[in-house]
Amino acid sequence: MVASLTVDDFVVNPLAFEIIQDQYYATGSLNTTSLAIQFKSHNLEQWQPSEFVSSVVTTTNFEQLCDVVKGHSLRRNAIKRAQEVISLANDMTNAPDTCVNMLQGMSAELMRSDSIISQSQILSDMRDNGVVKEHFSTGLRGLDSLMGGGMFRGKVYGFSGKAKSGKTLLASTISYNLGENGCRHLYVAMEMGATEIAQRKFARKGGFNSLEFIQGKRTWEGLKPNTEIRYLDAPGITFPELKSRLLEAVARHQITGAVIDYWQLVQGQDSRQTEEKHLRDVAQGLADFAKKHNIWIFLLSQTNEEGKTFAGQGLIKACDQLYMIHGTDDTRWLEMSATRYTERVNYGSEDNPSLSINKRVGPYFEEI
């Protein structure tokens, strides 16, 4: 029971979860006497569920309190999801099937929150659905090869680089390629706006540089949008808001994945939470979301001038593959710094870069 608790189950005091989690992962078990002492030192003696508002955490009632916390959390999630569906249904601009799809997605999410399956069920699922998982080409053959064929559902792919290293350019390049291949996905723009990112793609499609839009040399007339790409302008978005919008995109737009640009810009840090812990929770939360909802996530992050990433261990843990963007001038190469399911092989090198920036059109990255 304890191992199934998450920080989202602790609405009022997420610090209580941190204390429990730290001890559980450090020792593999829980010493309730020690926990009671730590709770007391942080003024957390009184648990939050209404049935135990005056209760003190003890060795005799701890497991029962955990059950109550989880139960209240499931109830809150059910109420929240129901309210979202009602709000969606009351909006007459939405098609009826949109409401049904969102309700089905939310119901599946709630049902999965406490699902335990046997090895026989896993084998049955493999027989019914096949072993080969659906994956989507990035449009860069060398990168696809290192990924095992492309980006797989349920996995997180991290790409880190210094400021102005080409992170957004790489993301917009791959997003364009995905859209052209009919892969529906969401682009979450937290730094560069969705309009500017879309301009690059329109320019690439039209064979000119997007700067011509700003200079007034080009208009939007005659341009055809790619209907497979959805955008979310999200400067200052909090992590709970991000998860809600991702869930909406899964249910309403049937996306296969999402580009998150970028990790450190996700807000919502609790006043009692360190920035490192917040970012670690965001990274792991996105990994959990990808698995629960069977989508891929392309996650960008920024390093300092020394190439180090703050809270980088949390990012490494959350990503199935993590690449570092290197290069100078108009060429780049990717160092695979971590991988969970493939061999560790770089995409190019300093002497033999794998990507070049096409500035005449787009701009965008193309393979060398």
Side-chain angles (χ1 to χ4, degrees), residues 20 32 41 109 137 160 172 181 241 243 260-261 279 321:
I20 293 172
T32 51
S41 68
E109 180 192 15
S137 172
S160 294
S172 63
N181 287 330
E241 290 172 334
K243 288 192 294 184
I260 309 295
D261 186 3
L279 290 173
Q321 283 191 338

Side-chain angles (χ1 to χ4, degrees), residues 48 134 146 150 230 275 306:
Q48 299 307 319
E134 188 176 16
L146 299 185
R230 304 291 190 268
E275 182 180 2
E306 287 71 43

Side-chain angles (χ1 to χ4, degrees), residues 165-181:
S165 62
K167 298 184 298 296
T168 296
L169 185 58
L170 178 62
S172 63
T173 295
I174 291 176
S175 174
Y176 175 93
N177 296 341
L178 290 165
E180 289 296 298
N181 287 330

Side-chain angles (χ1 to χ4, degrees), residues 78-269:
I79 293 173
K80 179 181 178 181
R81 298 298 182 243
Q83 290 172 337
E84 289 176 358
V85 173
I86 291 172
S87 176
L88 187 67
N90 284 330
D91 185 349
M92 299 307 293
T93 62
N94 292 317
D97 61 341
T98 298
C99 305
V100 174
N101 289 336
M102 192 169 186
L103 180 61
Q104 289 175 337
M106 290 175 174
S107 298
E109 180 192 15
L110 291 172
M111 290 176 65
R112 280 194 296 265
S113 63
D114 193 30
S115 57
I116 300 175
I117 60 175
S118 67
Q119 194 167 1
S120 297
Q121 290 171 291
I122 293 175
L123 181 58
S124 177
D125 181 66
M126 290 169 60
R127 288 170 175 165
D128 293 340
N129 301 316
V131 178
V132 178
K133 290 184 176 293
E134 188 176 16
H135 54 280
F136 304 89
S137 172
T138 64
L140 303 172
R141 289 180 296 177
L143 183 57
D144 283 348
S145 177
L146 299 185
M147 291 177 169
M151 292 189 293
F152 288 80
R153 287 182 180 269
K155 296 189 181 299
V156 176
Y157 298 90
F159 292 82
S160 294
K162 300 176 184 178
K164 311 303 180 185
S165 62
K167 298 184 298 296
T168 296
L169 185 58
L170 178 62
S172 63
T173 295
I174 291 176
S175 174
Y176 175 93
N177 296 341
L178 290 165
E180 289 296 298
N181 287 330
C183 176
R184 181 168 295 182
H185 63 282
L186 175 69
Y187 195 114
V188 182
M190 302 182 208
E191 186 177 43
M192 184 181 292
T195 298
E196 188 173 352
I197 293 169
Q199 284 176 344
R200 289 181 173 182
K201 297 175 183 178
F202 280 120
R204 178 179 173 183
K205 185 77 171 178
F208 58 92
N209 190 287
S210 61
L211 186 61
E212 294 187 23
F213 284 122
I214 301 174
Q215 296 171 334
K217 297 179 181 179
R218 295 279 179 173
T219 68
W220 297 97
E221 294 182 8
L223 299 176
K224 295 183 179 180
N226 188 303
T227 58
E228 300 301 332
I229 307 174
R230 304 291 190 268
Y231 295 93
L232 173 64
D233 260 322
I237 194 170
T238 66
F239 188 42
E241 290 172 334
L242 176 58
K243 288 192 294 184
S244 178
R245 300 309 296 271
L246 286 172
L247 181 60
E248 177 187 356
V250 170
R252 295 180 61 179
H253 301 283
Q254 290 80 52
I255 62 168
T256 64
V259 177
I260 309 295
D261 186 3
Y262 57 90
W263 174 50
Q264 289 100 329
L265 294 181
V266 179
Q267 304 298 305
Q269 177 183 344

Side-chain angles (χ1 to χ4, degrees), residues 18 143 148 180 193 243 256 288 328 335 348 365 368:
E18 290 187 34
L143 183 57
E180 289 296 298
K243 288 192 294 184
T256 64
D288 293 342
T328 57
E335 174 191 359
F365 277 118
I368 298 175

